[in-house]
Amino acid sequence: MRLRALLETEALGLRLLGGEEELDRTVRGVMTTDLRDPSRYLSGGELVLTGLAWRRNSADSEPFVRILASAGVAGLAAGEAELGDIPDDLVSACRRNRLPLFAVNEDVAFATITEYVVRQVSGERAGDLAAVVDRHRRLMTSGPAGGGPDVVLDLLTTDLDLRAWVLSPTGRQIAGAGEPLAPGLCATLASEHLAAVRTGRRGPHRMSLQGITYSLFPIRGAGRGQGPGARDVRENVLSDWLLAVEADAGDWPAERLDLLQGVTQLIAVERDRRDAARTVRRRLAQEVLELVQTGAPPAEIAARLRVAAPVLLPGLGSAPHWQVVVARVDWDGGDIPGGPVAQSLLEEILVDPSLSGPEPSDRIAVAHAGDEAIALVPLPALPGESGENKGPDSALHADVLLASVREPLAAGLDGDGRLTLGVSAAVHSAEGLRGALEEARHARRVAAARPGRVCAAGHHELASHVLLLPFVPDDVRRAFTARLLDPLRDYDRRHRAELIPTLEAFLDCDGSWTRCATRLHLHVNTLRYRVGRIEQLTARDLSRLEDKLDFFLALRMS
């Protein structure tokens, strides 16, 4: 705003005492002070308000005004409540230093002037930013990318003093202004956003963590169900990004909310560009998948992999290992296609959570067949590595993937959806790719047999008894565990004897009396008494392998 606008607002009660030729100066802020030297608190462009408590005699005016002029302040407004009329020495000093001077009527509070200036400056800066955002959007829509989400977030920080971050639905930071958010905080914000979207709450969604309020805005691309074709929120909830702003948007005026909506639309343009760039990788994955599933000769599959490797791993000198990950999203009722949702989600899940930016997934190719999404993940071979069963250190692990995405995605699935993942071992040739696909599919079925909204299983579990347990019918499971464990549970309930924990520890120590007694901090004779009581209540003998195995399976299935 200009200084001239202050005189045009009667409610402020300002009288100009000097500096008519400088009224077109821009006011960028306001500061109230009665310090004799306030220079350390000035950055230029302020309207300085003072009650003149710093003035002891006429000699004080010149040094004070010179300090303000050197700092580049826009103007000085002096209150009349302390001294009545503004002293002539102050008027003269301002005239000599070309500093506009206003008199503030004693009936007008400095707070009234401050509030007016802050409101005007903030509104004008928001308008300027809106124009920049609109221009940036037009450039990005019609031409090359304009710098990505970080450029837009920098505008928010520099022009509106708003810190903001773009997060994926799994809580990975894609872009941000200022210091990165902690991974745990990102996951919590993503979880809150997904839960709010699933329950139909209108945005922006707000939440407070450790005394800080965040406002969460959805980022929806033009191709992701933003218009009339959007039939069900479940089609997009697991793929949309979100904008987290460190501010409470509950009291924002409509203009600022509209501005933030414009920012989300601008970031959505970048998101759509990224999705378009994934087309080549998706097509490569689809071609390889079709060859593998139709039993094509390994030489033909290998040739297709040679085409895929430079696209997914540019500059790679040697052939990589390959790993297969299968994902499936199922919604209750089965009316939402799971394949496209799983494809978009898997492309995000397979990105290392520690990586930021919109494009770290450019080494992942994901296809979908029916309700399944299948990822072909290249893993660079390590120097000196050889042998079909040797996988690189960078191989994916099911439990690591699960831990990184479980919290937010469980909120997005909201009681009526499930995500299951299966991860194969790494293979180093086309011959092993078909086996890796079947391995990943079997692992996903093991995950699907487990309770929970988000489940994963890896190839190592296919060579274990764990593979068999999920497929035991529920009635058989309940009858088997009840016959063996219910007598022990009843006894523990009545006597607080801890027979079940003792049994678990005894089996975990492979029947070693000494190791088990040490773990439980018991005398060996006390342990023998408890084991004897277990055998008496169940009519089993824990020295026999068959009975040990039955107890082991019962505990695993309970």
Side-chain angles (χ1 to χ4, degrees):
M1 64 174 293
R2 307 289 182 180
L3 275 176
R4 191 179 306 279
L6 297 173
L7 291 176
E8 297 169 354
T9 307
E10 295 183 3
L12 299 182
L14 297 179
R15 299 192 333 275
L16 182 66
L17 301 181
E20 294 88 345
E21 67 280 5
E22 304 292 339
L23 289 180
D24 286 327
R25 290 187 181 184
T26 300
V27 179
R28 296 187 174 87
V30 63
M31 175 191 168
T32 300
T33 184
D34 276 312
L35 296 174
R36 302 186 73 180
D37 181 3
S39 57
R40 73 180 72 177
Y41 304 108
L42 298 171
S43 57
E46 297 92 348
L47 172 67
V48 175
L49 305 177
T50 180
L52 300 177
W54 50 268
R55 182 183 179 278
R56 297 187 182 91
N57 55 59
S58 60
D60 292 334
S61 293
E62 180 68 27
F64 180 79
V65 172
R66 191 178 297 125
I67 288 170
L68 299 188
S70 299
V73 304
L76 173 64
E80 296 179 322
E82 183 74 18
L83 302 177
D85 292 337
I86 304 303
D88 291 338
D89 51 88
L90 180 60
V91 176
S92 299
C94 286
R95 185 177 297 115
R96 284 192 297 272
N97 290 278
R98 301 180 62 85
L99 182 66
L101 175 63
F102 300 88
V104 182
N105 190 287
E106 61 181 349
D107 296 330
V108 179
F110 281 179
T112 301
I113 301 174
T114 300
E115 181 182 357
Y116 174 83
V117 172
V118 169
R119 186 168 60 247
Q120 292 296 116
V121 170
S122 177
E124 290 184 6
R125 291 171 73 186
D128 292 343
L129 179 56
V132 173
V133 167
D134 184 62
R135 183 170 66 253
H136 201 62
R137 183 191 300 113
R138 290 197 301 271
L139 288 171
M140 292 175 65
T141 303
S142 59
D150 289 293
V151 172
V152 186
L153 300 186
D154 285 342
L155 289 175
L156 288 178
T157 301
T158 56
D159 283 50
L160 293 184
D161 197 25
L162 291 175
R163 299 178 66 206
W165 301 265
V166 177
L167 306 179
S168 78
T170 64
R172 184 177 65 86
Q173 182 171 314
I174 294 166
E179 290 295 320
L181 293 177
L185 176 57
C186 289
T188 301
L189 293 173
S191 179
E192 170 66 18
H193 173 74
L194 290 173
V197 172
R198 286 306 316 277
T199 54
R201 282 188 275 154
R202 296 190 62 181
H205 316 300
R206 291 172 291 153
M207 72 176 303
S208 294
L209 293 169
Q210 299 176 345
I212 300 175
T213 299
Y214 297 89
S215 298
L216 311 176
F217 297 80
I219 299 172
R220 298 191 178 101
R224 295 195 207 4
Q226 203 174 24
R231 297 179 299 276
D232 194 309
V233 69
R234 293 176 294 178
E235 295 181 15
N236 309 299
V237 66
L238 297 180
S239 58
D240 286 340
W241 290 353
L242 68 129
L243 176 67
V245 181
E246 190 181 281
D248 188 345
D251 298 326
W252 281 3
E255 293 80 6
R256 180 165 286 203
L257 287 173
D258 289 343
L259 172 61
L260 265 293
Q261 294 298 342
V263 169
T264 64
Q265 292 169 13
L266 185 55
I267 296 172
V269 174
E270 277 295 302
R271 175 70 191 271
D272 290 340
R273 287 185 188 279
R274 189 197 70 156
D275 285 351
R278 283 182 167 176
T279 303
V280 174
R281 299 194 295 275
R282 288 177 171 179
R283 186 168 62 247
L284 285 172
Q286 199 73 42
E287 291 173 356
V288 174
L289 175 62
E290 290 173 359
L291 291 174
V292 171
Q293 292 190 127
T294 57
E300 186 176 353
I301 299 174
R304 181 56 58 188
L305 290 177
R306 283 194 295 273
V307 172
V311 175
L312 300 178
L313 292 173
L316 188 67
S318 58
H321 290 78
W322 298 91
Q323 205 167 2
V324 176
V325 182
V326 174
R328 182 178 175 121
V329 174
D330 294 289
W331 302 101
D332 292 354
D335 54 339
I336 304 297
V341 178
Q343 181 182 42
S344 178
L345 188 56
L346 192 54
E347 286 170 334
E348 175 59 39
I349 289 174
L350 295 179
V351 179
D352 185 340
S354 64
L355 297 177
S356 62
E359 282 296 339
S361 58
D362 59 359
R363 297 187 174 188
I364 299 162
V366 183
H368 76 82
D371 287 334
E372 254 184 359
I374 301 165
L376 187 65
V377 184
L379 305 168
L382 297 179
E385 203 172 42
S386 63
E388 186 171 340
N389 296 322
K390 259 191 173 181
D393 291 343
S394 55
L396 300 169
H397 297 279
D399 53 346
V400 176
L401 290 180
L402 184 62
S404 66
V405 302
R406 191 202 317 255
E407 178 189 347
L409 294 185
L413 293 162
D414 190 42
D416 64 347
R418 291 200 75 205
L419 167 68
T420 50
L421 299 164
V423 182
S424 79
V427 296
H428 78 298
S429 67
E431 289 85 350
L433 206 54
R434 185 168 188 176
L437 175 58
E438 291 305 313
E439 194 172 59
R441 280 177 165 160
H442 284 310
R444 193 206 64 79
R445 294 189 189 103
V446 171
R450 294 171 174 168
R453 290 291 164 187
V454 184
C455 299
H459 60 91
H460 61 282
E461 298 183 56
L462 302 183
S464 166
H465 63 275
V466 177
L467 173 64
L468 303 176
L469 297 184
F471 299 99
V472 177
D474 287 343
D475 54 345
V476 175
R477 183 195 302 258
R478 284 192 296 269
F480 183 75
T481 58
R483 185 169 64 252
L484 276 177
L485 301 183
D486 279 2
L488 306 182
R489 293 191 180 110
D490 291 341
Y491 191 87
D492 281 348
R493 193 161 40 247
R494 292 196 308 269
H495 303 283
R496 298 182 180 180
E498 297 188 355
L499 296 184
I500 292 288
T502 301
L503 175 62
E504 291 174 332
F506 186 73
L507 296 174
D508 194 44
C509 292
D510 299 321
S512 168
W513 297 99
T514 304
R515 280 195 291 131
C516 184
T518 301
R519 175 181 294 190
L520 295 176
H521 306 289
L522 297 174
H523 192 277
V524 172
N525 288 341
T526 304
L527 175 62
R528 290 185 184 277
Y529 171 80
R530 288 187 183 180
V531 170
R533 179 63 68 185
I534 292 171
E535 293 174 334
Q536 179 186 15
L537 292 170
T538 60
R540 296 297 186 109
D541 183 354
L542 276 167
S543 65
R544 298 178 66 247
L545 177 61
E546 294 86 349
D547 288 341
K548 285 181 182 176
L549 181 58
D550 282 348
F551 278 122
F552 177 80
L553 293 174
L555 290 168
R556 279 301 186 98
M557 289 191 294
S558 63

